[in-house]
Amino acid sequence: MLPDGWKSGKIKDFFMLQRGFDLTKAQARSGNVPVISSSGVSYYHDTYKVIGPGIVTGRKGNIGDVHIINENFWPHDTALWVSDFKSNNINYIKYFLDYVNLKKFDEASSVPTLNRNNVLCLNCSFPPLPEQKKIAAILSTWDRAI
């Protein structure tokens, strides 16, 4: 039973995760666009693939940490990024992904690997946008206090 206005579905009904783009450090040209890999900013390039703000998490190597990127960026192929927020609040989605604990979806034996399809098919419920904003604001206040 859901509160009024909440919707149930699969994660892919509320936002989409997309694999990043190939770019080696040797291919990168001098610039100020962060290339975000599974562990955060790896190096800089002169071209962006995504207009910020955005969300990036690790796909291969380091999985589970979720980052909001406020500027235009290049999501590396070792990362997943939210390609469509589907009119949901970016901060709420960040907290939601933190709560989901993506590390538990590691499916590799040696190098941690996250298959986005295993995440996108999870059942979940989302509140309406005004409630998302309130929840994210409260959680953000607690984060700052900590």
Side-chain angles (χ1 to χ4, degrees):
M1 197 163 170
L2 291 175
D4 287 342
W6 284 58
K7 293 182 180 174
S8 287
K10 307 260 185 225
I11 286 179
K12 65 183 177 184
D13 297 326
F14 299 102
F15 62 91
M16 287 301 298
L17 288 170
Q18 182 69 45
R19 181 179 173 162
F21 305 93
D22 291 338
L23 179 70
T24 65
K25 190 170 185 176
Q27 293 170 322
R29 296 179 300 271
S30 180
N32 60 357
V33 175
V35 176
I36 313 295
S37 69
S38 63
S39 57
V41 177
S42 289
Y43 45 92
Y44 293 86
H45 187 45
D46 68 350
T47 306
Y48 61 86
K49 285 282 194 178
V50 179
I51 296 172
I55 291 179
V56 177
T57 190
R59 180 189 70 80
K60 191 169 189 176
N62 181 16
I63 63 174
D65 295 335
V66 181
H67 308 279
I68 291 183
I69 311 302
N70 289 311
E71 59 199 304
N72 297 343
F73 62 99
W74 182 297
H76 192 264
D77 72 333
T78 61
L80 296 173
W81 60 286
V82 176
S83 60
D84 186 352
F85 289 94
K86 299 190 178 188
S87 300
N88 289 292
N89 180 268
I90 185 172
N91 295 308
Y92 182 83
I93 290 176
K94 192 261 189 229
Y95 285 115
F96 176 84
L97 285 171
D98 285 340
Y99 174 77
V100 167
N101 185 16
L102 296 170
K103 289 179 184 178
K104 69 183 177 189
F105 295 98
D106 178 9
E107 62 177 28
S109 58
S110 59
V111 177
T113 303
L114 176 64
N115 181 335
R116 70 186 180 103
N117 295 319
N118 294 338
V119 176
L120 292 173
C121 68
L122 293 174
N123 291 317
C124 65
S125 300
F126 261 54
L129 185 59
E131 201 165 336
Q132 289 179 31
K133 290 177 181 178
K134 288 177 186 176
I135 292 168
I138 290 167
L139 293 173
S140 177
T141 299
W142 281 105
D143 278 348
R144 284 191 305 275
I146 292 170

